[in-house]
Amino acid sequence: MIRLKILACLNNSIAVTRRLTSHTAMTRPTITSESDATGVCIRIAGDLRTQSLDHVEEDFAALRPNGQDVVVDMAQVQSLDTGGAWLVANLVQRLGSSGAQVRLEGLDPAHSSLIETVSHNISEMTGDELPPRGFVNWVARIGEKTFGAWQDTLSIVGFLGLTLHRLVRTLIMPWRLRRAALVSQMEQVGFKALPIVSLMGFLIGVVLAFQGATQLKQFGAEIFVVELISISILRELGILLTAIIVAGRSGSAFTASIGSMKVQEEIDAMRTLGLDPIEVLVIPRVLALLIMLPILGFVADMAGLIGGALMSWIDLGVSPGMFLTRLKENTGVAQLAVGMIKAPFFALVIGVIACWQAMQVKGSSESVGQRTTASVVQSIFMVIAIDALFSIFFSELGV
């Protein structure tokens, strides 16, 4: 009795193994093509599964569109997975690119649904084509970038003109100004930046005093460190470094906030409601910079002088009273005015570039990050370039 049960179990196991083997065994896929006067007939047979696609990939790739109508007969396809569906969908797309009519016949409903799903997403799965190489193509890319830079220059000049127009109109009609937005931006740009600007100015004064003392000691001219500190900070370093900090801190914030609104289509909603995005978003930010950057520059100048006086006292023995006396005797208000005159120009450039970059955001949050980086880089570059132009201008005037 026990032997009979064992034999029955063995027979059942053999039967299950045979069924599994017959179910998992794959028929090698094939593809044939026949042409006549009416068109082309392509017959696909076998198992179009990922494991066996290497047998027919080259045959699929060899089929090229020739303008004739195509019928793809898939009545003999036994099984199909996503890899096979992609191969069929890609074939249909390529053959239909010449304008020919491509028709699938003999499809199982489940296979038809899978091919349709893959066809809708095939463009997302196709990788980007590598750019052509060679000297001619390299020159062409340089030309495209140059033309793009020229277009960007025209665009930002136009944006500057639009901003100045809205700014003048706001000054003429002050009731159009959004005071709550202006005060909020002044707090963000100015009040919250005071600690970092003050610390930066103090440390710059310390560094100038220390480095200047080291060099001037060699000639016994330590006392001239006062003029070195005051002229360097008041004319150049105070306002220049303040503008760089504001460009990195506030300019990036402007681009990120307005750029996020652009991605979420809030700016389009403003235009739909009849609101001017320049007047609502740009003018309060630019005005806040125009008001607060000179104040921040003055704070940086004072902090730099305090840091320089402290280091001069510690390292050279120049007392605070002597420091103030030489400062009054040899450094006039003109030195401070030279630095402060630059502040409104720096503020306008930072605000316009930051807001223009925000308006160029397209598509996704990745574009916001790219435009924010470009905003900071371009703002800092323009601040340094304008400072150099002012230096040449004042040098020619003998100031």
Side-chain angles (χ1 to χ4, degrees), residues 141-157 356-357 371 378:
R141 287 195 296 272
I142 294 296
E144 290 176 359
K145 291 181 179 179
T146 303
F147 182 73
W150 174 247
Q151 293 292 104
D152 288 345
T153 302
L154 294 179
S155 176
I156 197 170
V157 170
W356 177 80
Q357 286 287 355
R371 290 294 176 176
Q378 290 180 6

Side-chain angles (χ1 to χ4, degrees), residues 30-35 39-45 59-60 63-64 69-75 91-92 95 102-105:
T30 59
I31 179 171
T32 57
S33 176
E34 299 176 359
S35 301
V40 180
C41 180
I42 298 174
R43 291 185 174 86
I44 304 174
D59 297 332
F60 270 86
L63 296 172
R64 297 293 177 183
D69 293 341
V70 179
V71 175
V72 180
D73 184 4
M74 299 184 63
L91 174 65
V92 172
L95 295 178
V102 182
R103 189 172 71 255
L104 297 177
E105 292 184 351

Side-chain angles (χ1 to χ4, degrees), residues 259-273:
S260 298
M261 295 176 68
K262 184 79 180 296
V263 170
Q264 296 170 6
E265 300 181 351
E266 295 179 31
I267 295 179
D268 294 333
M270 284 184 184
R271 293 193 177 99
T272 303
L273 294 172

Side-chain angles (χ1 to χ4, degrees), residues 135-248:
F135 178 75
V136 175
N137 294 314
W138 177 77
V139 173
R141 287 195 296 272
I142 294 296
E144 290 176 359
K145 291 181 179 179
T146 303
F147 182 73
W150 174 247
Q151 293 292 104
D152 288 345
T153 302
L154 294 179
S155 176
I156 197 170
V157 170
F159 188 83
L160 173 62
L162 191 61
T163 303
L164 290 175
H165 173 265
R166 298 295 192 274
L167 189 59
V168 171
R169 188 175 70 177
T170 301
L171 295 176
I172 295 174
M173 297 180 287
W175 59 86
R176 300 181 65 96
L177 178 64
R178 297 177 176 268
R179 294 175 179 82
L182 175 61
V183 172
S184 175
Q185 294 300 328
M186 288 174 63
E187 179 187 8
Q188 296 294 329
V189 171
F191 181 75
K192 293 187 176 180
L194 280 175
I196 184 63
V197 169
S198 301
L199 179 61
M200 178 273 302
F202 180 82
L203 294 177
I204 289 298
V206 169
V207 171
L208 278 176
F210 181 78
Q211 295 295 333
T214 302
Q215 300 301 320
L216 293 174
K217 279 180 181 178
Q218 302 177 18
F219 308 99
E222 297 93 334
I223 195 64
F224 292 106
V225 74
V226 179
E227 287 78 2
L228 172 65
I229 295 170
S230 60
I231 294 175
S232 299
I233 290 178
L234 296 179
R235 286 182 66 102
E236 295 291 339
L237 294 180
I239 191 63
L240 177 62
L241 295 178
T242 300
I244 291 174
I245 287 179
V246 170

Side-chain angles (χ1 to χ4, degrees), residues 275-341:
L275 299 175
D276 183 5
I278 303 296
E279 189 173 329
V280 175
L281 300 175
V282 177
I283 295 303
R285 288 170 167 81
V286 173
L287 268 179
L289 282 174
L290 286 171
I291 295 171
M292 298 307 300
L293 189 57
I295 297 175
L296 291 174
F298 181 78
V299 171
D301 290 344
M302 297 303 104
L305 293 177
I306 293 172
L310 181 62
M311 180 54 66
S312 299
W313 191 15
I314 294 173
D315 194 32
L316 297 175
V318 179
S319 66
M322 185 180 295
F323 189 94
L324 286 174
T325 301
R326 292 195 63 85
L327 182 65
K328 293 177 182 178
E329 291 177 353
N330 302 308
T331 306
V333 180
Q335 306 297 338
L336 177 63
V338 167
M340 290 296 102
I341 287 172

Side-chain angles (χ1 to χ4, degrees), residues 110-127:
H111 296 170
S112 176
S113 176
L114 180 59
I115 292 175
E116 184 178 357
T117 301
V118 171
S119 298
H120 290 158
N121 297 276
I122 193 169
S123 59
E124 298 178 6
M125 295 187 292
T126 304

